[in-house]
C-alpha cells in the first residue's frame, strides 16, 4: 500500500507499531538467513538444544541460546542505547531500538566471518571459539535488546553499576569479558579458567 500523499514512506513504515514489529522481525530473519548462508549451524552440532551453557570449553559454548557471553551482549545493548540516545535524542525509542537491533544483527554477521572467528579463537589464552550457531546469534540479539531497555529504564548510575557487575561476573566466572578479551587481542596472556 502506498503512503498517503504528503507522507514519506519511512515514516509510514516506522510510524506504526505493526510496521516496527515487521521491520524488527525482518532484521532478525535476515541475520539468521545470512548466518545460514555463511554455513553457521542452526543449533549446536552436539545434538542437544539448551537455553544455557555455562562452560566456555564445552561443545555447546556459543551454540546454545545463552552462555556467559550473553552478558557481554547485554553490555553491548546498554552501550548502543547510550550512544544512540545521545546521537539522536529526538528519535522515538522505537527507531533507536530498530537501529540497535540492526547494529546487533550486523555484529553477529561480522562475528561469524572466518576472519573474526580466527581472531577471537586465536587470541592468547582464549577459549576455543569456532563461531556461533544461529540459535546463539538470535539469543545474543535478545540480550542486546534487554541491555538496550535496561539502559533506557535505569538511571545512569544504575546502568554503570550493571555494566561493572556484568563485567566482573564474566571475569570471575570464566576469566573473559570486554577488558580481559581486549587484553588477549592485544597479545597479553590472560590464562583461561
Amino acid at each position: 500500500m502506498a503512503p498517503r500523499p504528503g507522507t514519506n514512506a519511512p515514516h509510514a513504515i516506522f510510524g506504526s507499531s505493526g510496521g516496527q514489529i515487521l521491520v524488527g522481525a525482518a532484521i532478525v530473519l535476515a541475520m539468521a538467513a545470512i548466518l545460514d548462508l555463511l554455513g553457521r549451524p542452526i543449533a549446536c552440532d552436539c545434538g542437544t538444544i539448551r537455553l544455557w551453557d555455562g562452560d566456555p570449553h564445552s561443545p555447546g559454548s556459543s551454540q546454545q541460546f545463552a552462555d556467559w557471553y550473553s552478558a557481554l551482549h547485554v553490555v553491548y545493548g546498554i552501550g548502543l542505547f547510550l550512544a544512540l540516545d545521545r546521537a539522536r535524542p529526538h528519535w522515538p525509542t522505537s527507531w533507536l531500538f530498530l537501529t540497535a537491533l540492526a547494529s546487533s544483527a550486523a555484529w553477529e554477521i561480522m562475528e561469524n566471518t572466518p576472519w573474526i572467528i580466527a581472531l577471537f579463537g586465536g587470541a592468547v589464552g582464549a577459549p576455543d571459539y569456532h563461531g556461533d550457531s544461529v540459535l546463539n546469534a538470535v539469543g545474543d540479539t535478545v540480550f542486546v535488546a534487554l541491555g538496550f531497555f535496561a539502559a533506557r529504564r535505569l538511571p545512569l548510575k544504575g546502568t554503570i553499576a550493571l555494566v561493572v557487575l556484568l563485567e566482573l561476573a564474566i571475569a570471575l566466572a570464566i576469566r573473559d569479558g570486554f577488558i580481559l578479551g581486549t587484553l588477549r587481542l592485544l597479545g597479553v596472556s590472560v590464562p583461561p579458567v
Side-chain angles (χ1 to χ4, degrees), residues 3 14 28 57 61 68 84 86 100 104 145 153:
F14 294 117
V28 174
H57 305 290
S61 180
W68 281 104
L84 290 168
R86 183 164 176 86
S104 176
R153 292 274 184 216

Side-chain angles (χ1 to χ4, degrees), residues 62-154:
S62 294
Q63 302 300 302
Q64 303 297 347
F65 184 79
D67 52 30
W68 281 104
Y69 298 102
S70 301
L72 292 179
H73 288 82
V74 171
V75 173
Y76 180 47
I78 289 169
L80 284 171
F81 173 80
L82 295 174
L84 290 168
D85 188 53
R86 183 164 176 86
R88 297 287 184 238
H90 301 295
W91 277 14
T93 301
S94 58
W95 290 22
L96 296 174
F97 176 67
L98 289 174
T99 304
L101 194 65
S103 175
S104 176
W107 168 247
E108 289 300 322
I109 292 165
M110 288 187 325
E111 180 186 6
N112 285 284
T113 60
W115 184 78
I116 298 289
I117 291 170
L119 180 68
F120 286 164
V124 177
D128 280 342
Y129 179 67
H130 303 286
D132 297 346
S133 69
V134 175
L135 174 67
N136 181 261
V138 170
D140 289 347
T141 303
V142 168
F143 285 101
V144 166
L146 291 174
F148 177 94
F149 287 110
R152 182 175 177 272
R153 292 274 184 216
L154 291 171

